């Protein structure tokens, strides 16, 4: 490639990104990063760099992190065998101590340190801070374990009761990037462990986020989880339902699917599941093709005009209406 080619490619990319930049300026995105990315310094640094670009383009960001692998690793070191059912951690008193140490301690701090390295003004909080996430202990419930129904007490695991977004709004208004650990408490102050996907969806709903993005350890939602090339580029709630029914979605993707449903049912326009490979977030947000899976409420809700426009957008990449419509209509 010559220098001139290179420059015109740069111009093309910028031009194609421009409608998205216009569309998202001043909006809020909730980005959830999974445990795998949190535990890999290179991935975390790359992600922080991408987030600083998103911030520079005028988008407000709330970051939520998980920490499953780190929690399991420390548990094992302490001789406590981690137990997961339907992608959620069974949390006895000892497991809760470990979750507090890893989520509010090690993981939150490493995310903050990656933000610090790129000059992002990040502030670490958890669902306990200023009553951000109010939860209620989950009652024992019947779930299928190894093919048989069983009553499981998840222990110190919470379901979100309500979210008070005041703290997040204040931080965003002051230009800070909140980094949220998914622990919460009930009104008596009992600490509860909540799946980070669930927390991210609840926060997205409460602050009226435009987008919710899950960054995980696979490129997106796969039709066959054993086959990385079976990536689904775009789907809707009905499509997700089918994937759950036919067993294509399992383990850690199950809480994500519930969170996606919840967010789309409560006003979040677009949800994305992406990998943590280089530039995955910017590619997903600012290009028509994306890098992972885009999920909308109902693909059929696209008007005929939008569908017609999308054909044009897909070929010339222009126009202020260049939302991910092109992908929804074609993918
Ligand atoms: P995170 O820390 O990002 O929440 P999880 O391990 O909880 O990560 O969830 C992601 C995992 O879900 C993937 O690594 C994969 O093993 C599993 N999974 C199950 N079904 C699917 C599917 N259909 N497509 C992609 N991943 C799936
Ligand atoms: Mg998970």
């Amino acid at each position: 490639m010559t220098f001139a080619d290179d420059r015109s490619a740069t111009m093309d990319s910028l031009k194609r990104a421009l409608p998205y930049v216009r569309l998202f300026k001043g909006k809020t995105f909730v980005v959830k990063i999974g445990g795998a990315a949190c535990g890999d310094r290179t991935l975390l640094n790359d992600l922080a760099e991408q987030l600083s670009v998103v911030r520079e383009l005028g988008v407000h960001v709330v970051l939520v992190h998980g920490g499953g692998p780190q929690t399991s690793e420390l548990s094992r070191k302490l001789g406590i065998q981690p137990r997961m059912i339907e992608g959620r951690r069974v949390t006895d008193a000892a497991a809760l101590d470990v979750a507090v140490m890893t989520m509010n301690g090690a993981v939150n701090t490493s995310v903050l340190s990656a933000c610090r390295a790129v000059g992002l003004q990040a502030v670490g909080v958890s669902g306990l801070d200023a009553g951000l996430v109010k939860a209620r202990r989950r009652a024992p419930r019947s779930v299928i374990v190894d093919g048989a129904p069983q009553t499981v007490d998840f222990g110190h695991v919470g379901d979100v009761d309500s979210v008070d977004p005041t703290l997040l709004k204040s931080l965003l208004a002051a230009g800070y990037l909140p980094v949220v650990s998914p622990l919460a408490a009930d009104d008596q102050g009992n600490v509860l462990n909540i799946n980070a996907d669930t927390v991210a969806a609840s926060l997205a709903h409460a602050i009226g986020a435009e987008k919710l993005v899950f960054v995980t350890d696979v490129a997106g939602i796969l039709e066959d989880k054993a086959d990385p090339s079976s990536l689904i580029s775009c789907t809707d709630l009905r499509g997700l339902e089918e994937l759950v029914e036919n067993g294509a979605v399992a383990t850690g993707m199950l809480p994500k699917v519930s969170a996606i449903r919840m967010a789309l049912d409560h006003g979040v326009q677009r949800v994305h599941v992406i990998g943590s490979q280089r530039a995955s977030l910017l590619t997903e947000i600012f290009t028509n093709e994306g890098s992972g899976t885009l999920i909308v409420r109902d693909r059929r809700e696209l008007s005929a005009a939008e569908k017609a426009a999308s054909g044009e957008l897909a070929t010339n990449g222009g126009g202020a209406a260049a939302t991910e419509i092109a992908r929804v209509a074609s993918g």
Side-chain angles (χ1 to χ4, degrees):
M1 194 188 263
T2 66
F3 187 55
D5 284 344
D6 198 24
R7 279 207 302 203
S8 87
T10 306
M11 280 303 293
D12 282 351
S13 308
L14 282 172
K15 268 200 268 184
R16 272 202 295 269
L18 209 54
Y20 293 102
V21 174
R22 275 196 208 110
L23 204 62
F24 299 142
K25 198 169 176 169
K27 302 275 168 60
T28 304
F29 294 176
V30 173
V31 178
K32 185 262 171 168
I33 43 176
C38 292
D40 181 321
R41 194 59 210 211
T42 311
L43 294 181
L44 207 49
N45 286 348
D46 182 54
L47 201 68
E49 213 175 353
Q50 295 181 71
L51 288 172
S52 69
V53 174
V54 173
R55 283 284 303 120
E56 288 294 330
L57 293 174
V59 177
H60 304 289
V61 177
V62 173
L63 203 54
V64 180
H65 63 78
Q70 292 82 350
T71 304
S72 296
E73 193 189 329
L74 182 58
S75 284
R76 285 195 196 92
K77 278 188 190 153
L78 297 171
I80 307 159
Q81 192 50 40
R83 190 166 169 230
M84 306 293 291
I85 294 174
E86 292 186 330
R88 294 179 196 266
R89 185 174 305 272
V90 180
T91 310
D92 62 12
L96 182 66
D97 283 346
V98 177
V100 171
M101 284 187 260
T102 48
M103 307 278 195
N104 280 12
V107 178
N108 196 266
T109 306
S110 45
V111 177
L112 290 175
S113 100
C115 290
R116 177 76 177 259
V118 293
L120 273 175
Q121 298 287 4
V123 175
V125 299
S126 82
L128 276 85
D129 291 60
L132 178 58
V133 180
K134 290 196 179 139
R136 159 194 316 260
R137 188 172 164 149
R138 171 175 294 208
R141 59 174 65 183
S142 177
V143 295
I144 306 294
V145 183
D146 298 329
Q150 193 182 315
T151 301
V152 173
D153 182 357
F154 281 87
H156 302 277
V157 163
D159 288 312
V160 177
D161 237 0
S162 64
V163 170
D164 178 352
T166 313
L167 172 67
L168 292 185
K169 287 185 173 165
S170 310
L171 288 171
L172 292 175
Y176 294 110
L177 186 153
V179 175
V180 185
S181 154
L183 294 172
D186 65 15
D187 281 337
Q188 286 69 49
N190 298 304
V191 178
L192 294 164
N193 186 19
I194 307 188
N195 182 282
D197 300 330
T198 313
V199 170
S202 305
L203 297 184
H205 165 213
I207 59 172
E210 176 81 8
K211 264 187 199 306
L212 168 61
V213 184
F214 294 101
V215 183
T216 185
D217 59 350
V218 284
I221 301 179
L222 306 172
E223 196 124 31
D224 170 3
K225 53 188 173 291
D227 176 7
S229 73
S230 67
L231 178 71
I232 298 167
S233 164
C234 178
T235 189
D236 60 9
L237 288 179
R238 231 164 37 129
L240 281 189
E241 201 59 54
E242 279 166 27
L243 290 168
V244 172
E245 272 166 18
N246 71 21
V249 157
T251 59
M253 201 47 75
L254 282 171
K256 252 180 260 300
V257 165
S258 306
I260 294 166
R261 207 179 277 142
M262 192 268 206
L264 291 172
D265 278 341
H266 289 91
V268 180
Q269 291 300 310
R270 300 281 194 263
V271 182
H272 306 254
V273 180
I274 63 173
S276 39
Q277 72 275 21
R278 209 171 150 65
S280 61
L281 180 70
L282 294 180
T283 310
E284 179 69 16
I285 296 176
F286 295 110
T287 71
N288 285 348
E289 315 75 63
S291 67
T293 305
L294 162 68
I295 307 105
V296 296
R297 255 181 76 78
D298 186 348
R299 306 167 67 129
R300 294 167 307 179
E301 276 173 12
L302 282 179
S303 68
E306 284 175 320
K307 280 183 183 155
S310 75
E312 206 182 307
L313 289 171
T315 49
N316 73 10
T323 58
E324 298 91 349
I325 289 168
R327 220 161 122 207
V328 179
S330 66

